[in-house]
Amino acid sequence: MRSTPDLRGHTVLALHAHPDDEAIFTGLTLRRLADAGARTVLVVATAGELGESRLPLRRGETIARRRITELERSAALLGVSRLVLLGRRDSGLPGWASGAHPRALAGADPRRLARRVARVAEAEGAETLIYDDEHGIYGHPDHLSAHRIGDAAAALTGAGTYQITVDREHLHVSAPDRHLIHGAAEAAGVHFGRTSSEITLAVRGNTEQVASKHAAITAHASQVDPRHLPVDEFAGAYGIEWYRHDGPPGVLHLLDTAPPSTLASATPALATLAPGTPALATLAPGTPDLATPALSISAV
């Protein structure tokens, strides 16, 4: 029986467009890397401030503040070591006027942002970058920007890359219309994902890791109604994460060592943060990292 790999000494940087993308598309991967001893750095480009909150905001609270607080909680659940915020603005869906906002991610120079990401990667010694594929998973303008930024950062650092996608054929069979990507693609009026033959690597997790992913997604309570993620159906829709990878096998391939008997195929147990765990404060640009036992947060 093969055991979990020892990835101590490895650092992986994951780049995402919005809060909740880290949990939906790479939650298992981040949790598995952390469980194997790797250091994980999560870089998020926007606060997702154009996503309307399904819950009332507190007095004086903004959508951006609520979503960053949820992101911090999700990152802690996934074992992320450092959270970095790029501070760009959500661009909205294809064709929205918000994409022309001066701070919209879709209109930002990807080379400038890539240099910021590359500086983080080099300071952290990250030998692997994870980011959206050239289709932006489902064509959202900010996901397309995340791909361009990730590609440029990888070129600057020489890091190995894994590009995020979803296997639409698998989802059609195992979770028809039950993955959040279905609604997101419908709202954007675009296709999503890849065929199974185009997938290079599929990462699975055990029952506890799937439960951590469930908790991380539902931590984004302003955006995700937990009733749409029933526990008994969750593993079928979210128990695998998919990547495209060129070149020799890299660090994510080392995750493919867990014995099949340990992989989740049924209902995950619910995972939560311990009662009373505080939300972690976001730092202003230029402020040194705030070290906590689970997570440090910075803006670059």
Side-chain angles (χ1 to χ4, degrees):
M1 185 176 286
R2 292 172 291 178
S3 61
T4 299
D6 183 355
L7 298 183
R8 288 175 294 180
H10 290 276
T11 300
V12 177
L13 185 151
L15 169 66
H16 284 286
H18 313 112
D20 75 17
D21 293 331
E22 81 295 336
I24 295 168
F25 299 112
T26 60
L28 280 180
T29 303
L30 292 170
R31 185 66 261 176
R32 287 202 61 193
L33 287 166
D35 289 348
R39 179 173 173 81
T40 53
V41 178
L42 173 60
V43 180
V44 179
T46 80
E49 50 268 90
L50 295 187
E52 294 184 5
S53 180
R54 51 174 293 273
L55 300 174
L57 298 177
R58 300 178 184 90
R59 184 183 299 273
E61 185 181 35
T62 64
I63 289 282
R65 178 62 261 177
R66 170 66 67 89
R67 296 205 66 183
I68 293 300
T69 298
E70 293 171 345
L71 172 64
E72 292 163 0
R73 183 169 290 269
S74 170
L77 285 161
L78 298 176
V80 170
S81 305
R82 181 184 176 193
L83 172 61
V84 177
L85 308 174
L86 294 184
R88 301 301 301 192
R89 189 177 189 269
D90 188 347
S91 305
L93 293 177
W96 284 16
S98 52
H101 189 281
R103 294 201 54 77
L105 179 62
D109 182 350
R111 295 168 297 181
R112 290 189 62 185
L113 292 174
R115 287 194 289 270
R116 292 166 62 185
V117 173
R119 286 196 295 270
V120 172
E122 290 171 344
E124 291 282 354
E127 73 271 35
T128 303
L129 303 185
I130 299 172
Y131 54 92
D132 294 348
D133 72 352
E134 68 269 27
H135 300 313
I137 308 177
Y138 69 102
H140 188 291
D142 289 338
H143 287 255
L144 293 169
S145 291
H147 168 76
R148 291 189 287 268
I149 295 163
D151 246 13
L156 289 169
T157 61
T161 66
Y162 288 87
Q163 297 187 24
I164 308 159
T165 186
V166 297
D167 184 336
R168 63 173 176 260
E169 293 179 340
H170 172 88
L171 290 177
H172 179 72
V173 173
S174 69
D177 296 323
R178 295 205 306 271
H179 193 288
L180 290 168
I181 191 69
H182 292 112
E186 182 178 357
V190 295
H191 298 292
F192 68 89
R194 302 269 189 170
T195 63
S196 300
S197 63
E198 296 177 283
I199 305 297
T200 307
L201 178 68
V203 173
R204 296 169 172 83
N206 62 28
T207 300
E208 291 76 18
Q209 291 155 347
V210 172
S212 292
K213 176 170 179 168
H214 184 278
I217 296 177
T218 55
H220 293 279
S222 71
Q223 306 298 305
V224 180
D225 187 338
R227 293 175 297 179
H228 296 159
L229 298 175
V231 173
D232 59 344
E233 298 178 356
F234 185 77
Y238 298 95
I240 308 176
E241 293 168 355
W242 297 277
Y243 298 92
R244 286 176 54 82
H245 173 79
D246 293 324
V251 67
L252 262 60
H253 283 79
L254 299 177
L255 295 177
D256 191 22
T257 61
S261 62
T262 69
L263 297 177
S265 59
T267 303
L270 290 177
T272 62
L273 288 175
T277 302
L280 297 168
T282 304
L283 301 184
T287 305
D289 285 352
L290 173 64
T292 74
L295 177 67
S296 67
I297 307 164
S298 58
V300 297

